[in-house]
Amino acid sequence: MKKFDIHEDPHRRYNPLINEWVLVSPHRAKRPWQGQNETISTVKMPEYDQECYLCPSNVRANGEVNPQYTSSFVFDNDFAAMRQDEITFDDNMEPTFFKVKPERGISRVVCFSPKHNETLPEMEVGQIENVVRAWQKEYTFLGNKDFINYVQIFENKGSVMGCSNPHPHGQIWAQSSLPTQVARTQANLKVYYDQHKRSLLQDYLTQELQQKERIVIENEYFVALVPFWAIWPFETLIISKRHFGRITNMTASEITSYAAILKILTIKYDNLFETSFPYSSGIHQAPTDGELHPEWQFHMHFYPPLLRSASVKKFMVGYEMMGESQRDITPEKSAQMLRGLSDVHYKSK
C-alpha cells in the first residue's frame, strides 16, 4: 500500500474558521490548460484621468465634486448597497421558506491615493499608513452608530474581480447584521475561545511559525502566510502576532508594521506574473455590537484568482459549486513561490 504524501496525493484539509473542508488535488497541477485566458490590460494609466469619478476635483455620478485631496479620501457610496433609513416591518410572518428582514447599513468608498495609477504596492509605507488610519477612523465612526453591528472593510482590485474603476480604492459596508461568513467565523472562534481561553488564530499562528512551510512574510508585529486550508491558488492571510480584535487596537508601531507587510505582500503578488495582480481582500475583526469579543484576533484575507499566469484564472465551478472547494497547487507550493519573490516591485527594476 502506497504511503500518503501530502504534496502529491489527493486529500481534504479542514478550515476551522468557517468549519468547512477543501479538496486538494496536487497531481492535477500538471494538466495542460486549454480553457479561457483573461485579457490583461497593458495600457499605461495616467496619474490623473479627467473621466475618472474618483480622481481629485472630478465630478461624481451624483453631481458632487471631489475635493482636491492629497491623501486618502472617504465618501458615501453614490450607489450604496444598503440604506440608513429606518422602516417599519412586521416580523410575525408565518411562512417557513420565505423569510425576509430589512437590512440597514452604510456603504462608503475609500480612495487610497489621489493618483489614478498608484496601487498599494506602488505607494510608500507612509501613504499606506494613512489608509490604515482612515480605516480606523471609519471603523470607529460607523461602529459607534447604534444600528451598526459589523463594519466590513474590503478591496476589489482589477477588472477580473469586477472592479468598475481602476483608481486605487476600497469599500466599507457597515450593517446591522453579521454577514454570513463573519457569523460563521464568529461562532467557531467563540467555541474555541470558550474551550481553551485562548485565541484560535493565535494558537494557529504559533504552530505555523514553528513549521515555517507556509510563511510568506514575517515582520515584528504581523505575519503573512498561505493558510493550510487555502482555497484560491495564491490565497494569503495576514494575522497580528499580538492578540487584539480591532484595527483601532493597533499601536503606532503596529500601524507601520501592518502598512509595510501590505506593501511587500502586494509587491510579491505583482511580481509573480509581472502584472497588476487582481484580488479581493478584506479585514475580519470584532463586531461593533458593544461586546468585548476576546475570541477575535485581527486578520486580513487576500483572495487572488490568477492560477498559473497573468491570463489564466481559477474558476469556482462544477465540483466547487456542487460539492466543496477544491485546489490543485498545494498551499505549501504557493507559499514557496510567493516567499521567493523579490520585495522590490518589478516596475522599479
Side-chain angles (χ1 to χ4, degrees):
M1 186 177 293
K2 181 179 180 291
K3 184 178 179 181
F4 172 67
D5 184 344
I6 197 170
H7 302 294
E8 293 291 336
D9 296 324
H11 60 278
R12 297 170 84 208
R13 299 191 184 198
Y14 179 66
N15 181 347
L17 288 178
I18 55 175
N19 191 29
E20 278 189 1
W21 291 84
V22 54
L23 176 65
V24 183
S25 311
H27 58 295
R28 275 169 49 92
K30 301 170 185 175
R31 64 186 174 132
W33 182 260
Q34 293 182 312
Q36 176 171 318
N37 286 279
E38 302 297 324
T39 300
I40 301 300
S41 175
T42 56
V43 176
K44 188 175 181 180
M45 290 191 296
E47 190 172 298
Y48 167 76
D49 183 351
Q50 63 181 7
E51 301 298 324
C52 171
Y53 59 84
L54 297 182
C55 279
S57 75
N58 285 2
V59 180
R60 297 207 306 276
N62 65 353
E64 291 189 21
V65 179
N66 295 330
Q68 191 63 42
Y69 65 94
T70 58
S71 183
S72 55
F73 168 51
V74 185
F75 61 91
D76 283 339
N77 195 318
D78 300 331
F79 302 96
M82 292 168 284
R83 296 172 178 163
Q84 300 186 46
D85 307 334
E86 190 171 4
I87 60 175
T88 59
F89 174 67
D90 180 8
D91 60 358
N92 296 318
M93 300 178 71
E94 292 298 327
T96 305
F97 299 108
F98 305 100
K99 293 183 179 180
V100 63
K101 57 173 286 193
E103 187 69 7
R104 293 177 71 190
I106 302 170
S107 300
R108 305 269 279 167
V109 175
V110 183
C111 294
F112 298 156
S113 167
K115 295 182 180 179
H116 187 72
N117 60 353
E118 188 174 59
T119 58
L120 283 177
E122 298 167 285
M123 294 168 62
E124 298 296 329
V125 170
Q127 293 175 285
I128 301 175
E129 287 182 53
N130 288 334
V131 175
V132 175
R133 292 190 183 94
W135 288 339
Q136 289 180 317
K137 183 178 178 181
E138 292 299 311
Y139 177 85
T140 300
F141 170 70
L142 296 169
N144 281 340
K145 294 184 179 296
D146 59 4
F147 66 94
I148 295 298
N149 289 308
Y150 195 75
V151 178
Q152 182 59 65
I153 299 168
F154 66 98
E155 178 192 4
N156 293 321
K157 181 190 175 194
S159 58
V160 171
M161 300 307 295
C163 184
S164 60
N165 190 311
H167 192 106
H169 73 284
Q171 299 186 59
I172 302 175
W173 290 11
Q175 62 189 98
S176 52
S177 302
L178 289 190
T180 301
Q181 290 298 320
V182 176
R184 294 177 70 180
T185 301
Q186 162 82 55
N188 290 295
L189 291 178
K190 192 171 190 313
V191 166
Y192 189 92
Y193 187 85
D194 288 347
Q195 182 178 353
H196 301 282
K197 301 305 176 188
R198 297 190 308 272
S199 155
L200 183 155
L201 278 173
Q202 194 166 41
D203 284 358
Y204 168 67
L205 181 58
T206 297
Q207 293 191 27
E208 284 284 20
L209 288 171
Q210 290 171 352
Q211 294 188 14
K212 297 190 180 299
E213 273 192 292
R214 289 166 292 274
I215 305 297
V216 177
I217 311 161
E218 178 185 0
N219 64 20
E220 187 175 2
Y221 297 109
F222 291 89
V223 175
L225 53 83
V226 177
F228 178 77
W229 53 82
I231 293 173
W232 294 95
F234 294 97
E235 176 181 336
T236 55
L237 187 63
I238 296 177
I239 310 174
S240 63
K241 287 185 175 180
R242 183 172 67 88
H243 179 203
F244 63 87
R246 299 170 172 85
I247 194 169
T248 49
N249 297 139
M250 287 187 193
T251 65
S253 296
E254 284 171 332
I255 290 174
T256 301
S257 182
Y258 178 46
I261 209 165
L262 281 173
K263 178 177 174 65
I264 294 174
L265 179 60
T266 51
I267 283 175
K268 285 180 179 292
Y269 276 146
D270 279 11
N271 285 349
L272 183 60
F273 300 130
E274 294 197 347
T275 189
S276 186
F277 207 87
Y279 58 74
S280 279
S281 68
I283 294 170
H284 274 174
Q285 56 189 324
T288 57
D289 56 5
E291 302 296 326
L292 292 177
H293 291 295
E295 69 276 11
W296 275 89
Q297 181 146 343
F298 179 90
H299 59 286
M300 184 176 190
H301 295 273
F302 278 81
Y303 299 128
L306 297 188
L307 179 59
R308 57 178 74 185
S309 73
S311 61
V312 176
K313 178 185 174 183
K314 159 76 173 178
F315 286 92
M316 289 293 186
V317 294
Y319 181 83
E320 287 92 347
M321 296 177 74
M322 305 299 166
E324 66 186 14
S325 299
Q326 183 271 342
R327 63 178 288 137
D328 295 345
I329 181 174
T330 65
E332 292 75 25
K333 180 63 176 176
S334 296
Q336 180 186 29
M337 292 171 68
L338 289 171
R339 187 169 54 242
L341 294 166
S342 172
D343 294 350
V344 178
H345 199 277
Y346 74 93
K347 290 182 182 178
S348 303
K349 294 179 181 178

